[in-house]
Amino acid sequence: MVAVNIVYNVGSRDEDPDHTGFAHLFEHLMFGGSRNVPDFDAPLQRAGGESNAMTLTDYTDYYLTLPAANLETALWLESDRMNALAFSAESLEIQRQVVIEEFKQSYLNQPYGDAMLLLKPLAYRVHPYQWNPIGKEISHIANAKMEEVKDFFYRFYRPNNAIICIAGNLDMERTKDLVFKWFADIPAGEPLVRNLPQEPPQLEPRYLNVERKVPNDLLVKAYRCCRRSDEQFYPTDLISDLLSNGKSARLQQGLVEENQIFSNISAYVTGSFDEGLFIISGNPCEGVSLETADAALTALLRQLHEEPVPAAELQKTKNKIRTLLYYADLQVQDKAMNLAIFELLDKAERYDWEESLYEGVTAEQIMEISGKLFTDNNCSTLYYRAIE
């Protein structure tokens, strides 16, 4: 088997604030057929392959796997939609309705679905991370015009703005020849120049209270944190694992098992290419107010700054991270995706450094970063209150 992964250097951060959701719309349009291949999936399935895609704030990823003998089929399909995507009124209308329905089902008609739609603009005031890849609102996709869609495509979906990574059982020279055969003649496109507004430092705590018809209250706290490429990312990400990775993690033990403040709670780092968020969210137990739960969580976070993490706990967390990294290296699809993303972030070789960078995190770094990270002035808090 081989995996073909193409990362386009475009995400929701590249959208106009009044025309959001376009990168995600293209995730659907790219499967709607090209000038020479009206149905992308049909020839791929006949070749024994399967494909998918995902849209994030920083990039859009298209990936497929198929038998190694049929590699050229994948390159033919990918090159044709890069060079000659079909822009028909019918295709745009079909995919527009699919995205609108996804917006409704996943974000508007699902319990807690709009939580991140509410939290992002609270944490970001000027940076385009203030909206999700799905977009700010349905009207931006509902009113998208064909010329706007074409302009977005020809600006971002060009060879000079894409990284292709092929992994698996392949011959290197033959693979290079095939890539040249199918992609060399596609016009490169204009150089991409980003001039994104930079988010100023947060200097005060921010709160938002909303009421929704949901089963239980929800507390969500977002702390501004570093870029994915910063050295501080590794201790910051390790802190999220200390707090939330497994049944013995601190949030589970301290706030769920022992004190029964929350019925469930988790933490993660967004890992954004620009300054990201450290997000903690959970449902308080019945009878526990959001304010009480918030205070208990804040007290637990303070311990990370006041007391060094015991060596055994720190090493156990590093072992879990190492295991996840090993599992991520087992499948050719994951290899191709990770290498392409790291090439976009910096360089592909950096992927091989991940284990040693996590292993090098010290208890002193965790104390220092926690003291700067978990402060009220650096936090945006969503109180999502349940009503009947």
Side-chain angles (χ1 to χ4, degrees), residues 71-85:
L71 171 61
E72 190 166 9
T73 299
L75 299 179
W76 161 60
L77 290 169
E78 289 289 5
S79 66
D80 200 64
R81 66 177 176 180
M82 179 188 288
N83 186 46
L85 188 68

Side-chain angles (χ1 to χ4, degrees), residues 134-249:
I134 194 70
K136 279 185 180 181
E137 53 187 72
I138 288 176
S139 64
H140 288 184
I141 294 301
N143 299 326
K145 297 178 174 58
M146 179 64 78
E147 286 308 309
E148 296 171 338
V149 171
K150 287 184 177 180
D151 289 344
F152 194 84
F153 177 81
Y154 288 113
R155 181 183 177 194
F156 293 109
Y157 293 81
R158 301 288 85 199
N160 67 320
N161 203 45
I163 295 168
I164 184 169
C165 183
I166 305 171
N169 181 20
L170 49 85
D171 176 87
M172 184 63 73
E173 292 307 315
R174 177 178 178 271
T175 301
K176 288 181 179 179
D177 290 343
L178 288 175
V179 171
F180 185 86
K181 172 183 176 181
W182 289 105
F183 289 89
D185 293 336
I186 303 176
E190 295 296 323
L192 175 62
V193 179
R194 276 196 177 91
N195 188 23
L196 301 178
Q198 296 303 300
E199 189 71 23
Q202 184 173 331
L203 302 176
E204 77 293 320
R206 299 172 185 171
Y207 292 90
L208 177 64
N209 279 272
V210 298
E211 295 181 342
R212 297 286 190 272
K213 291 183 178 181
V214 292
N216 308 101
D217 291 344
L218 175 69
L219 173 68
V220 188
K221 297 181 76 68
Y223 297 89
R224 295 265 299 279
C225 67
C226 62
R227 294 175 171 85
R228 178 64 177 84
S229 58
D230 290 345
E231 292 182 3
Q232 295 92 336
F233 172 80
Y234 297 94
T236 303
D237 192 42
L238 197 147
I239 290 170
S240 73
D241 279 33
L242 276 169
L243 290 172
S244 185
N245 188 355
K247 293 183 178 180
S248 62

